[in-house]
Structures are given as structure tokens and as C-alpha cells.
Amino acid sequence: QVQVVASGGGLVQAGGSLRLSCTTSGLAFGRAAMGWFRQAPGKEREGVSCIDSSAFSTYYADSVKGRFTISRDNAKNTLYLQMNSLKPEDTAMYNCAAVNLYWSGGHIAAMTANNSGYWGQGTQVTVSS
């Protein structure tokens, strides 16, 4: 049974930083591309960032490019998201999940969740202005 638990969220002022972690079990983590998603109240869930199984390739949504960094530790079955220069529009519930990757020109161009609708425990990020 797959379990996914995200942590590290909190309340931070604009310009601040947070580091999210996501631990998993029941998932072949080391062979799975993984990603972070977020959903703000009244909005659709959006893909924020993803990383392939070897940590060789990454993808960032335009809204977070240059501010967020995704990484993973396959030995610990853990995914990370370092978030710097946070903005009020980053406020959302953040979840991680295995993802499907879509490639273009040797780079990841898009991502979709590969989790059969299971999102596990998310972590709330609130950025005050």
C-alpha cells in the first residue's frame, strides 16, 4: 500500500524560504519520477516541479522557475523542494506524487500525476505579504 507524507510547510513572510520533504513507502521510489503539486483554494491543482528517477533531469513551472529547487534522496525514499523568495501566490497545499514525464528535445516538458488519484498527506504553505 502506497503512503505519501509531505511535511515542512508553514507560515512565512514574502521573500522567505521553506524546505518541503516528502517521504514515501510502498512505492518503488528509486525507479519513479517524482513531482510536487499544489492547490490553492478555489483553484485547480497544478504541477510545480518534477525530477526523474536518476535526478538527472528536472522541470519547473514558469511560476517557480529560479526560486524553487527539487531534489531527491533515493536511499531515504524522500523528495525535497527548496522554496526561496516565496510570494503570496505560492500559498497552497503542497503534495508530492509519482509522475509521468513528457519529453521534448531531451528535456522534461510537462508532467502529470501517476498516483491513481491518491494524494496522501499534504503540507500547507502560507506566505504573508
Side-chain angles (χ1 to χ4, degrees):
Q1 183 177 357
V2 175
Q3 290 191 323
V4 177
V5 178
S7 62
L11 174 63
V12 64
Q13 289 188 330
S17 298
L18 287 172
R19 189 193 193 207
L20 306 185
S21 299
C22 178
T23 58
T24 71
S25 61
L27 173 68
F29 184 86
R31 295 196 298 271
M34 297 293 299
W36 286 98
F37 296 79
R38 68 185 181 186
Q39 187 169 24
K43 294 187 177 181
E44 292 188 357
R45 182 177 280 116
E46 64 171 337
V48 173
S49 178
C50 65
I51 186 168
D52 70 355
S53 60
S54 65
F56 184 77
S57 295
T58 58
Y59 164 87
Y60 298 94
D62 288 343
S63 58
V64 306
K65 202 171 293 182
R67 301 187 296 121
F68 291 9
T69 302
I70 192 171
S71 61
R72 64 189 297 161
D73 185 335
N74 287 348
K76 296 182 179 179
N77 288 356
T78 302
L79 181 72
Y80 302 100
L81 187 68
Q82 178 66 43
M83 306 188 297
N84 298 330
S85 302
L86 283 162
K87 303 176 180 180
E89 50 264 45
D90 294 319
T91 295
M93 179 66 74
Y94 284 71
N95 292 83
C96 80
V99 297
N100 298 308
L101 302 180
Y102 299 87
W103 298 84
S104 177
H107 302 281
I108 301 172
M111 57 185 274
T112 57
N114 180 21
N115 62 351
S116 301
Y118 169 72
W119 289 101
Q121 178 179 311
T123 188
Q124 177 69 38
V125 172
T126 303
V127 184
S128 63
S129 57

